[in-house]
């Protein structure tokens, strides 16, 4: 586990979908530093099957050492986003970090995906991420070390990631395109990065998608909380990166990944959108702003024995169990 350094003390984080799962885990990690957390989520009343509300999350954040501001926000409603941003600035004096975590998923084929599901995924994943970023950016620009972090994958254009759930893939890559565009647009002002897990993560959504027993093939949300913490405590020059949790944590010196497993030793399920080993040196050069010439060189080093290029935009996922 990655220890807290206190670097987020007094920082204000605006986290969408922070009432449970990954969003809440990131919030609790920052709360241990004494950060202010804006819980921008839509669950105000207890859900019939899903645990947690914005108010129960607020209690946990305060107990962990942070300050919490629960706000009812459905990211499909622009006015709710704007109201929550205004309330955050009024309460805490500004916004330092935005985590676009709220997401909708339907792993269905084109003919099986109802229009309302298509609208939901596009509205929450792409439009919600875009509008929340837009609303927070004027405030982020005033921060000393501002970050936007989207929970979205490296853009792997292998058709296998489109054929079974085209709408979902388009919507998640839309979030990744926000990273690509905004990192460049606000370079030098605001860091914009993406974070994605190497393996499946155990959340209430995973239980619904995977069914009974799926958790043994998953890791805990803690691994993403540690990776997010690591990114958000870096300087704003660290921008435009598509980061895989395990790759980053290995670089940070974490060696024991069993602590993150639900069932240590059990084969883990690789996450979506990842299908080849990545070359971490190429990622590093990309991260730390290598020159175009250096990038060309790193590209030539990545030629396989047969001269074929190794894809660097996707991360390691050795098949280790049923996908």
């Amino acid at each position: 586990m990655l220890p807290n350094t206190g670097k987020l003390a007094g920082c204000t984080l605006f986290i969408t979908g922070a009432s449970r799962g990954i969003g809440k885990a990131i919030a609790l990690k920052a709360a241990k530093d004494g950060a202010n957390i804006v819980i921008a989520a839509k669950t105000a009343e207890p859900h019939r099957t899903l645990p947690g509300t914005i108010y129960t999350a607020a209690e946990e954040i305060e107990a962990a050492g942070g300050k919490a501001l629960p706000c009812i926000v459905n990211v499909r409603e622009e006015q709710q986003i704007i109201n929550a941003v205004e309330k955050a600035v009024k309460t805490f004096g500004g916004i330092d970090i935005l985590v676009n975590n709220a997401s909708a998923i339907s792993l269905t084929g084109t003919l099986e995906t109802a229009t309302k599901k298509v609208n939901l995924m596009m509205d929450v994943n792409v439009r919600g991420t875009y509008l929340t970023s837009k609303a927070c950016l004027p405030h982020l620009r005033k921060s000393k070390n501002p970050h936007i972090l989207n929970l979205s994958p490296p853009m792997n254009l292998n058709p296998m990631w489109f054929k079974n759930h085209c709408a979902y893939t388009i919507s998640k890559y839309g979030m990744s395109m926000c990273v690509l565009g905004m990192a460049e647009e606000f370079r030098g002002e605001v860091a914009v990065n993406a974070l994605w897990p190497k393996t499946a993560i155990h959340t209430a959504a995973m239980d619904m998608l995977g069914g009974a027993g799926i958790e043994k093939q998953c890791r805990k949300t803690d691994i993403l909380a540690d990776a997010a913490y690591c990114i958000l405590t870096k300087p704003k020059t660290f921008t435009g990166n598509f980061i895989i949790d395990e790759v980053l944590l290995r670089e940070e010196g974490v060696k024991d990944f069993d602590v993150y497993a639900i069932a240590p030793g059990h084969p883990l399920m690789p996450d979506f959108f990842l299908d080849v080993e990545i070359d971490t040196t190429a990622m590093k050069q990309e991260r730390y702003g290598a020159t175009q010439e250096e990038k060309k060189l790193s590209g030539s080093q990545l030629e396989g024995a047969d001269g074929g290029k190794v894809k660097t935009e996707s991360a390691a996922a050795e098949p280790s169990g049923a996908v």
Side-chain angles (χ1 to χ4, degrees):
M1 292 278 190
L2 205 70
N4 278 58
T5 57
K7 284 184 185 171
L8 296 182
C11 287
T12 298
L13 287 79
F14 190 104
I15 307 178
T16 66
S19 59
R20 61 176 73 96
I22 294 161
K24 189 178 80 173
I26 293 171
L28 289 170
K29 179 78 177 173
K32 285 179 190 161
D33 272 7
N36 309 316
I37 315 290
V38 184
I39 306 156
K42 64 182 201 297
T43 311
E45 300 293 322
H47 191 274
R48 58 190 170 79
T49 53
L50 300 170
T53 67
I54 56 174
Y55 306 112
T56 58
E59 283 167 21
E60 287 183 60
I61 286 161
E62 303 254 339
K67 290 196 177 106
L69 177 67
C71 295
I72 299 170
V73 178
N74 178 350
V75 293
R76 299 178 85 178
E77 304 294 336
E78 186 179 19
Q79 200 52 52
Q80 289 184 19
I81 298 168
I82 292 165
N83 293 349
V85 167
E86 284 172 2
K87 201 171 169 187
V89 173
K90 205 168 159 186
T91 308
F92 299 124
I95 296 171
D96 302 289
I97 290 164
L98 164 63
V99 180
N100 284 306
N101 163 70
S103 228
I105 182 168
S106 180
L107 299 176
T108 43
T110 302
L111 300 176
E112 294 75 49
T113 312
T115 303
K116 68 174 188 180
K117 281 270 168 69
V118 177
N119 291 345
L120 177 69
M121 289 188 281
M122 299 304 166
D123 283 356
V124 173
N125 303 359
V126 193
R127 187 173 174 272
T129 294
Y130 186 91
L131 292 180
T132 309
S133 302
K134 186 183 173 196
C136 288
L137 270 160
H139 306 288
L140 289 166
R141 289 170 109 171
K142 295 174 191 168
S143 169
K144 285 192 193 77
N145 193 31
H147 280 263
I148 293 176
L149 182 63
N150 292 357
L151 272 294
S152 68
M155 282 184 291
N156 179 353
L157 299 183
N158 181 338
M160 72 175 276
W161 298 117
F162 289 82
K163 73 170 190 178
N164 295 325
H165 38 74
C166 190
Y168 174 64
T169 299
I170 291 169
S171 72
K172 288 307 283 188
Y173 285 8
M175 293 175 75
S176 300
M177 285 176 171
C178 285
V179 170
L180 215 52
M182 291 177 194
E184 212 49 55
E185 186 178 356
F186 299 99
R187 187 174 288 278
E189 290 187 281
V190 180
V192 188
N193 295 290
L195 173 62
W196 195 246
K198 180 178 169 174
T199 71
I201 300 293
H202 186 234
T203 60
M206 184 51 79
D207 280 337
M208 290 195 312
L209 291 167
I214 192 78
E215 69 277 1
K216 284 185 184 150
Q217 299 176 58
C218 299
R219 280 178 173 158
K220 301 170 190 167
T221 53
D222 297 352
I223 189 167
L224 282 170
D226 281 2
Y229 182 85
C230 188
I231 295 161
L232 300 173
T233 52
K234 288 188 185 296
K236 65 183 177 188
T237 48
F238 182 83
T239 191
N241 307 296
F242 291 87
I243 297 146
I244 304 301
D245 57 359
E246 186 181 313
V247 175
L248 178 69
L249 291 171
R250 280 192 192 281
E251 284 178 8
E252 295 294 322
V254 175
K255 291 184 173 67
D256 179 15
F257 284 86
D258 275 353
V259 293
Y260 298 118
I262 298 282
H266 196 283
L268 295 163
M269 182 163 65
D271 206 351
F272 292 110
F273 312 118
L274 309 176
D275 56 16
V276 283
E277 286 292 343
I278 47 164
D279 179 290
T280 53
T281 55
M283 270 184 83
K284 268 188 208 155
Q285 286 176 337
E286 200 66 32
R287 260 188 213 150
Y288 299 116
T291 64
Q292 289 307 315
E293 211 44 52
E294 283 168 337
K295 284 179 189 171
K296 275 182 202 152
L297 282 170
S298 75
S300 63
Q301 287 158 6
L302 291 178
E303 285 188 3
D306 59 354
K309 288 273 193 292
V310 180
K311 286 200 195 79
T312 52
E313 80 273 8
S314 55
E318 295 139 22
S320 56
V323 176

